[in-house]
Amino acid sequence: MISTQLVVVGGGPGGYAAAFLAADLGLSVALVDPEVNPGGVCVYRGCIPSKALLHVAKLIDESRHAKAWGIAFGEPTINLDQLREFKNNVVKRLTSGTGQLAKHRKVNYIQGWAEIVDAHSLRVKLVAGGEETVQFEHAILATGSLPAIPPMLKIDDPRVMDSTAALDLPDIPKSLLVVGGGYIGLELGSVYAALGSAVTVVEMTPGLLPGADRDLVDILAKRISQTMKSVLLETRVVQMKAEAKGIRVTFEGKAEAKEQLFDRVLVAVGRRPNSAIPGLDKTSVQVDSRGFIMVDEQRRTHEPSIFAIGDVVGEPMLAHKASHEGRVAVEVMAGENVAFAPRAIPAVVFTDPELAWCGLTEAQAAKEGRHVTVAKFPWGASGRAISIDRTDGLTKLILDPDTERLLGVGLVGPGAGELIAEGVLAIEMGATATDLKLTIHPHPTLTETMMESAEVFFGQATHVYRPKRG
Ligand code: FAD
Ligand code: NAD
């Protein structure tokens, strides 16, 4: 039997960040997860492998784009086994690193599945066989999320894949249907499109990425219309049938063709919290109607000894949000007066162009009837964007017109995922349009679009002529 001050259930970016900080603060810590090393969904079958493949997709797309500048590389030859190995090695390298970090910190990493016994103990079914009992003062539940697959999209055929199966690169199908025009659908759809599949995306709402502002999405959608075969909006899949030649899919909605055959289908219609932890009912932990574990702003559940963090407690289901919550929960345990209260959580869709936003969106402001000023800087006016031949970008700031305070940032364009961090910092620091305008940004970089958007707010942007009215 192990006795520890803290046990963390789930070794994803939420769980391992929490375990590592707790060890750094001097607590005895056990971390339970079925994988060989910490990493969770994000590192083993999410953020990291998808970004390795997206990097390759970007290279392929850029080499095709180079034709326009007089440089022709020809069509790439793809060695799928080698590509898979590259991706697997990326995962191995990162997870062996997290394993080492756990060892250095003397975190007791237990490879297995946890079942809760009561508010101060749990049992771990060890992957190697046998069981281990862990008694704890505090526990953090960080069990993440799983793909949500509605019954009509669930058919027992390996050609119908979830994100995990798609990341395994079973082959490069001639035709691929992606169900869901959200993060996963667009990221993995882009990978397969670059590798040579004819990709069709079907999305039930009127637009891709329903949570993002339309002016940003329009720029991405235009590019996607060139790289993918088609995007079917306001359309649902109502039936899928496995046939020898492929998966026959029946659509309902705006799509003209009501039936089509695809070599493979990727279902990416969202994820559901993994809160069905065995024995959870033996505690006072409560779960809401959507399956999220209920927590307060310090990430305490209804059971005083148990905290919960990450995808299992709510949206947005993002790795950096999980890690931040994990650190907050540990600091609370350590007696600090802190809460999870970010002003801005960045969201990045790693397509080409990338799309990113943080803080208040324009759509959200409109929905809440909030009076805001939106200052936009089109990348067609950026020297850097023109020099890399990527003017398909836009930077916009959402500002309080009275205080000039920055409330939100939206970006689309290559590298938007890196640029958004400046917006997050600015919002967290309570920066105003003047602060951004007076901050000297390096030239020629895409970061200047942040500064020039602030200049647009004052009607004084150097590279766009948009005088302030009135
Ligand atoms: P998870 O990473 O889900 O980890 C939970 C862990 O708990 C898992 O290892 C699981 O096996 C383990 N577990 C579950 N039950 C038990 C139990 N009873 N006992 C022991 N262990 C248990 N987010 C981003 O921010 N950026 C991205 O680029 C990004 N890309 C993504 C791409 C894909 C394809 C997917 C699927 C997701 C992506 N995400 C991305 C989302 C990101 O992966 C999640 O938000 C993040 O992993 C959540 O972290 P977590 O710590 O809450 O849990
Ligand atoms: P998502 O919520 O991003 O997108 C799902 C899409 O599917 C939505 O646009 C929705 O309207 C649509 N949809 C739902 N049911 C449908 C149906 N029956 N037919 C057609 N369309 C349907 O979900 P996801 O893409 O599965 O990703 C899950 C989560 O994982 C994301 O919300 C995000 O939190 C996380 N993630 C993040 C990243 C990143 O940060 N870059 C990447 C991948 C995943």
Side-chain angles (χ1 to χ4, degrees), residues 430-443:
T432 61
T434 300
D435 293 324
L436 277 176
K437 185 182 80 161
L438 293 180
T439 302
I440 300 178
H441 287 66
H443 179 74

Side-chain angles (χ1 to χ4, degrees), residues 148 247 282 290 324 346 363 404-405 412 431 450:
I247 306 292
K282 294 184 184 127
R290 295 175 62 203
H324 195 86
E404 296 179 14
R405 194 145 160 183
V412 61
M450 290 287 290

Side-chain angles (χ1 to χ4, degrees), residues 366-387:
K367 206 168 145 193
E368 292 168 13
R370 222 168 142 173
H371 185 44
V372 293
T373 298
V374 179
K376 295 186 190 184
F377 186 84
W379 286 21
S382 151
R384 180 63 170 182
I386 294 171
S387 65

